[in-house]
Amino acid sequence: MTHDRKEPAVKPLETTKVNPEQSVPQPTMKLVVRVLMSPVFPAFIFLVFLAVAWTLRAGLIQQDTHQIQTNLSNEARALTNNLEREFMVHVDAIGRMARRMHADPDTTEDLWRNDARNYLKDFGVYQAIEWVDQNYIIRWLEPLTDNQDVIGYNVAFNNQRRQALEQAATSGQYDLSGIIDLRQGGKGMVIYYPVGEGAENNGFIAGVFRMEVLTEQLLTNRILGQFQIEILHRGQAGYLLNASADVDASFSHSVAVNLPTLNWQLTLRPTRAWVENQRSNWPTMILVSLLLMGLLTSLTTLLVQLILKRNQALLRTRRELEREIDQRVAVQVDLERLESTDTLTGLANRRFFMEDLAHTLSIADRQMRQVAMVMIDLDRFQMLNDTLGHQFGDELLIKVSERLNGLSTESILVAYSGGDEFMICQQQMEDIDDVIHLLGQIKQCFAVPFDVQGQAHSITATMGVAVYPQSGHDADTLLRNADVALYRAKEQGRNTYQFYTEGMQEREVMRLELDKDLHHALANDEFVLYYQPQLNLDTGEINSVEALIRWQHPRRGLLPPIEFIPLAEESGRITEIGRWVVLAACRQLARWKGTPCDHLRIAVNLSGRELDDVTLVDHVRDALTSENVDPGKLELELTEEIFIQNIEHNRNQLSQLHQLGTHLAIDDFGVGYSSLGYLRDFPVDMLKIDRSFITDVTVRHDDAVITRAVINLAHNLGIQVVAEGVETEDQLNFLKAHRCNLAQGYLISRPIPVKDLEQAVAEGTLFTGQNVGSEL
């Protein structure tokens, strides 16, 4: 119904103007400003820089330490390689002398001594060169000076040395004595190179080294000056070089010396001077640099605080001036509004609302604020107005206006647009939460039934929201887009709200095209039925399915019901589509006779308009009769809200349908009126718990309690229960534990075409008690 009324001025409305005092930062911005203005904030910044600098310095020092250890490792490895290489040179030299003696067994002592003196002169590292006979007695020795006591000494002075020399004589391989106490005095070591091998052995050529001479020859001055070197022989301390060096005890590196028969390990310890020379200056430079930066930043912050305090003082003065100006403007606006109210509701009329909206948007543009516009449409008002009369409609509009006007403030304007539509403008909003709060207040206005003509009537409202500047930059565009959003909200099922978003205008054009195509869909046989199985939780069998309509659109492909059912309800074609669904379900039941699907029952949904149709019972009866289908194989589902709308008419219709033998089910139980009386008054066979309770039934105590209560209530009344939206094993186990009869949802199966259903039934791949949770 549309109320076309003259809009004289009958009463003043509250002043609605932008108040500069309310121009405050968002909560987050307030907190940021409070922190920035805190007197301790500059000190906090400096402490942050100090912490960062100290952390970076510690990290760089750790990196330096790792690099120093790596360099020390490289030095030790290089030293070991050089020691191995130089030592083998001396071994080879002794070996050549032994091979010459073996090649000339008749070598005289003088000739041998001359050869030995040449070696001593060329290499300069030997303490002495000896010839040891086959009985391990030193016979010849060069030089004799300071070494006479060694002549005749048995070098196999213990079993270990004897075994080593015997093995060398047999194999022809040289032997190293290890670090020993020399007869000549001091620490040293001896290379024994056999003169021939096995039976041809003629003793050994021995090269004697003093450790201090050997190490000084093999090591460079740089190594000797920067490191302390310890030689471990068979894990025991053997020789310590540069013992008095000032070493850094936190660094050391050990490397095994790879020489046959010689079990040596070299440990390198750097001097403090070497370690300090390896360290970088970056840690100290980073610390000093960041501390300077922190000090500079703190001083800058202190300067900014002083500037902000000055600006705040100037801003307060400006706001006081704006407040005085706005007060004068508000007086003038009130005078103009006296002639801008609706005579029926007492609210601002459409003309004034649009003028005020344009003015509000101009202020919002200057002050960079957002403005929200809400279009409100009363659900089912047209039906109530046509059924109960225009007088009823007028009284209901007055009651609604009184409640909505209670939301009016200096920043919220409520207006009556005409018909069953109202408009609200929220002139000051900080963020989207303010609009959400307003929408909640609007819905609360409809929470309590309206007392009209001595009867209580529950009315709901659908809302569309457009926000400036995102949804439009002028009043007309904002109004048009709020209306588009309102229509979108209606498509979603009413009693809800929808914000305008980009693309809604294009979708509106698409909706009009879809509505035109819907006119030809039935004639062209473009509708198909999909089936979603329902699992019997007592037997683990599939005995029933729900028929869900789909539109095989010639251009857009397969469309779900949400795309076209709202259009069908608005255009009145829902009754024709509903009849097609009932007839198609009966035909499918007839085709299943004598097939593996013969035992299945099909559930179809009825709309409120179909239930209002006085020929509904006749159509269902004719469909069952024409297809010769058992009425018990057909189940009719209606939502809880439809049951309540017209109790007497619905009771008569449902009783006749029940007398035909069909099953009757309440769909979406628990989300509508939830009046328990109709469960007793109506012939209900099945109750379907809405998916909103099942989704969190295993995690929310309230949902679990409600679900158990519904199951127990239904069973006490002899009604079976179906749980919708079952998607997890935990949900299914909960329902089985509380004796729910049937389960339906994606865990059981998605809606599938009839061919897939028939194939699954024929192949036995549908669900049983042992494989609950698999999919078709």
Side-chain angles (χ1 to χ4, degrees):
M1 169 180 118
T2 303
H3 297 271
D4 297 321
R5 305 181 184 282
K6 188 177 179 181
E7 302 167 337
V10 295
K11 61 176 76 173
L13 295 180
E14 296 182 11
T15 301
T16 306
K17 281 308 298 174
V18 177
N19 187 351
E21 284 292 335
Q22 297 178 358
S23 177
V24 295
Q26 298 177 3
T28 302
M29 186 59 69
K30 284 183 177 180
L31 179 61
V32 171
V33 171
R34 190 178 299 115
V35 171
L36 289 176
M37 297 301 292
S38 172
V40 300
F41 187 65
F44 172 75
I45 290 179
F46 183 77
L47 290 177
V48 170
F49 272 89
L50 177 60
V52 172
W54 196 261
T55 303
L56 287 176
R57 177 179 178 275
L60 290 173
I61 290 176
Q62 183 178 7
Q63 184 178 353
D64 262 6
T65 301
H66 176 74
Q67 185 61 47
I68 291 171
Q69 188 63 45
T70 301
N71 293 344
L72 181 62
S73 172
N74 294 336
E75 291 280 4
R77 185 67 264 172
L79 176 61
T80 303
N81 292 339
N82 184 64
L83 179 62
E84 293 170 354
R85 183 175 58 255
E86 292 297 327
F87 197 85
M88 288 306 299
V89 169
H90 296 300
V91 170
D92 290 342
I94 297 297
R96 288 194 299 272
M97 191 173 180
R99 286 191 291 274
R100 281 197 299 274
M101 188 173 183
H102 176 66
D104 187 8
D106 298 327
T107 301
T108 64
E109 182 177 358
D110 290 339
L111 184 60
W112 181 89
R113 288 184 181 279
N114 185 61
D115 193 16
R117 280 192 292 270
N118 290 334
Y119 268 77
L120 291 172
K121 179 181 178 181
D122 291 342
F123 290 95
V125 70
Y126 298 109
Q127 166 73 15
I129 297 178
E130 305 166 343
W131 172 60
V132 181
D133 66 13
Q134 294 173 325
N135 296 319
Y136 314 118
I137 303 299
I138 298 175
R139 297 302 182 184
W140 296 346
L141 181 144
E142 186 66 30
L144 285 173
T145 306
D146 298 330
N147 293 318
Q148 294 90 341
D149 294 342
V150 177
I151 298 294
Y153 179 73
N154 188 345
V155 297
F157 50 83
N158 58 36
N159 289 334
Q160 181 181 357
R161 292 303 309 141
R162 178 175 292 276
Q163 291 174 1
L165 291 171
E166 288 176 351
Q167 182 178 357
T170 301
S171 63
Q173 300 296 321
Y174 67 88
D175 174 61
L176 297 176
S177 66
I179 298 176
I180 59 175
D181 293 323
L182 299 176
R183 292 281 296 178
Q184 297 92 329
K187 296 270 186 190
M189 65 178 298
V190 184
I191 301 174
Y192 295 97
Y193 209 103
V195 180
E197 60 181 273
E200 297 180 359
N201 177 259
N202 187 25
F204 301 86
I205 298 298
V208 182
F209 304 89
R210 283 188 182 275
M211 290 305 299
E212 58 269 25
V213 177
L214 175 64
T215 53
E216 289 175 2
Q217 286 287 331
L218 295 182
L219 303 180
T220 64
N221 291 332
R222 183 184 69 85
I223 295 295
L224 293 173
Q226 296 182 345
F227 300 95
Q228 181 186 85
I229 304 168
E230 183 178 11
I231 300 175
L232 300 180
H233 180 65
R234 302 186 185 276
Q236 302 295 323
Y239 187 74
L240 183 64
L241 187 64
N242 204 7
S244 62
D246 182 19
V247 298
D248 189 331
S250 60
F251 294 96
S252 68
H253 189 78
S254 299
V255 182
V257 178
N258 186 20
L259 289 174
T261 74
L262 190 62
N263 187 2
W264 274 14
Q265 182 174 325
L266 234 62
T267 297
L268 208 64
R269 298 185 183 92
T271 63
R272 296 183 186 276
W274 184 87
V275 172
E276 289 302 320
N277 188 53
Q278 295 291 313
R279 290 197 180 277
S280 169
N281 293 326
W282 276 107
T284 303
M285 294 173 61
I286 290 293
L287 177 64
V288 173
S289 299
L290 286 179
L291 288 180
L292 290 176
M293 290 176 61
L295 181 60
L296 181 61
T297 305
S298 299
L299 294 176
T300 303
T301 303
L302 185 61
L303 179 61
V304 170
Q305 286 181 339
L306 295 175
I307 296 174
L308 288 177
K309 289 179 180 179
R310 177 62 177 169
N311 289 343
Q312 286 177 345
L314 294 174
L315 183 60
R316 282 194 298 270
T317 303
R318 177 182 175 183
R319 286 176 176 172
E320 290 175 0
L321 293 174
E322 289 181 349
R323 187 184 307 113
E324 184 176 350
I325 294 172
D326 288 344
Q327 288 174 351
R328 293 178 179 272
V329 173
V331 173
Q332 182 64 32
V333 170
D334 285 341
L335 294 175
E336 295 175 355
R337 192 169 294 179
L338 291 175
E339 297 180 354
S340 305
T341 56
D342 177 69
T343 56
L344 175 66
T345 62
L347 299 176
N349 58 32
R350 183 186 182 95
R351 183 187 64 186
F352 174 78
F353 181 88
M354 294 303 293
E355 292 176 353
D356 189 81
L357 178 61
H359 178 67
T360 299
L361 295 183
S362 66
I363 296 176
D365 180 57
R366 293 196 304 271
Q367 298 180 349
M368 293 185 293
R369 295 178 179 171
Q370 298 184 88
V371 177
M373 178 181 175
V374 183
M375 287 287 295
I376 305 173
D377 183 87
L378 304 183
D379 299 333
R380 300 172 53 244
F381 177 81
Q382 192 68 39
M383 183 190 70
L384 293 173
N385 192 65
D386 294 342
T387 305
L388 303 177
H390 289 194
Q391 182 63 33
F392 171 88
D394 289 348
E395 292 186 25
L396 178 59
L397 288 173
I398 293 173
K399 297 284 186 180
V400 172
S401 299
E402 291 174 351
R403 293 191 186 179
L404 290 177
N405 197 38
L407 303 177
S408 297
T409 65
E410 290 185 353
S411 61
I412 296 178
L413 173 64
V414 181
Y416 174 61
S417 178
D420 59 354
E421 290 186 347
F422 295 82
M423 301 183 293
I424 295 181
C425 175
Q426 187 173 21
Q427 298 175 348
Q428 293 183 15
M429 56 172 288
E430 300 297 341
D431 51 40
I432 200 67
D433 289 339
D434 294 341
V435 187
I436 299 296
H437 178 69
L438 175 61
L439 294 173
Q441 291 179 307
I442 296 173
K443 294 196 72 173
Q444 194 62 33
C445 291
F446 296 89
V448 179
F450 293 87
D451 186 6
V452 183
Q453 296 181 350
Q455 294 185 349
H457 294 270
S458 294
I459 302 296
T460 58
T462 303
M463 294 166 279
V465 186
V467 179
Y468 168 87
Q470 296 92 333
S471 303
H473 292 83
D474 57 76
D476 291 333
T477 303
L478 212 60
L479 175 64
R480 182 175 64 253
N481 291 339
D483 196 52
V484 171
L486 174 62
Y487 183 83
R488 278 292 170 192
K490 290 181 180 179
E491 284 185 335
Q492 294 179 359
R494 304 179 186 277
N495 191 25
T496 184
Y497 61 83
Q498 175 69 54
F499 282 82
Y500 175 82
T501 58
E502 291 294 332
M504 278 191 174
Q505 289 284 12
E506 291 78 2
R507 290 198 295 271
E508 182 68 7
V509 174
M510 293 176 61
R511 185 191 70 82
L512 294 175
E513 293 178 354
L514 199 63
D515 184 61
K516 181 180 65 176
D517 295 341
L518 191 61
H519 178 70
H520 305 286
L522 278 173
N524 297 335
D525 196 25
E526 294 173 0
F527 293 114
V528 294
L529 291 182
Y530 273 48
Y531 298 89
Q532 188 171 30
Q534 297 174 338
L535 177 67
N536 189 316
L537 298 182
D538 295 325
T539 64
E541 299 174 349
I542 303 295
N543 296 321
S544 57
V545 295
E546 182 179 3
L548 301 168
I549 191 170
R550 301 286 188 271
W551 182 5
Q552 190 64 55
H553 195 278
R555 295 187 307 279
R556 301 183 184 180
L558 192 66
L559 301 180
I562 191 64
E563 296 285 341
F564 59 92
I565 291 300
L567 291 175
E569 290 178 342
E570 286 188 7
S571 63
R573 299 188 183 94
I574 190 63
T575 302
E576 297 176 23
I577 294 176
R579 290 188 175 188
W580 179 89
V581 171
V582 171
L583 184 58
C586 290
R587 287 175 176 170
Q588 189 59 63
L589 288 169
R591 284 193 290 269
W592 280 346
K593 288 181 179 180
T595 71
C597 295
D598 186 40
H599 67 289
L600 294 179
R601 181 175 68 244
I602 297 180
V604 298
N605 293 278
L606 295 181
S607 67
R609 286 183 178 268
E610 291 177 82
L611 196 59
D612 291 339
D613 186 6
V614 294
T615 65
L616 171 64
V617 177
D618 293 335
H619 172 70
V620 174
R621 181 189 298 109
D622 293 343
L624 292 169
T625 303
S626 63
E627 299 299 329
N628 192 24
V629 172
D630 178 9
K633 294 291 185 66
L634 183 65
E635 180 179 304
L636 304 175
E637 294 183 3
L638 299 99
T639 63
E640 188 178 2
E641 182 180 5
I642 294 174
F643 268 87
I644 303 301
Q645 287 178 357
N646 193 336
I647 295 178
E648 289 301 324
H649 173 74
N650 291 350
R651 181 186 292 115
N652 180 53
Q653 288 278 72
L654 296 176
S655 297
Q656 293 184 59
L657 290 172
H658 191 264
Q659 290 171 7
L660 291 179
T662 61
H663 286 252
L664 297 178
I666 303 175
D667 198 8
D668 300 337
F669 182 83
V671 297
Y673 292 84
S674 299
S675 173
L676 303 180
Y678 69 83
L679 293 179
R680 180 187 66 247
D681 298 335
F682 289 92
V684 177
D685 302 296
M686 191 78 68
L687 188 151
K688 301 186 73 173
I689 304 176
D690 186 74
R691 67 178 60 247
S692 62
F693 296 104
I694 302 302
T695 299
D696 295 324
V697 72
T698 59
V699 295
R700 288 188 57 181
H701 177 70
D702 292 343
D703 288 350
V705 171
I706 293 172
T707 301
R708 288 196 299 266
V710 170
I711 294 173
N712 293 333
L713 172 65
H715 286 172
N716 290 337
L717 295 175
I719 300 174
Q720 287 195 314
V721 181
V722 181
E724 294 181 297
V726 179
E727 297 182 358
T728 68
E729 292 281 355
D730 290 341
Q731 294 169 356
L732 189 66
N733 293 333
F734 175 92
L735 295 170
K736 292 174 70 176
H738 293 88
R739 300 185 300 111
C740 183
N741 303 102
L742 300 172
Q744 178 180 346
Y746 283 2
L747 179 65
I748 313 304
S749 173
R750 293 176 178 268
I752 55 177
V754 64
K755 289 185 178 179
D756 294 348
L757 177 65
E758 291 171 346
Q759 180 181 356
V761 172
E763 294 175 357
T765 57
L766 277 174
F767 305 95
T768 67
Q770 288 73 37
N771 64 354
V772 170
S774 60
E775 291 194 6
L776 293 175

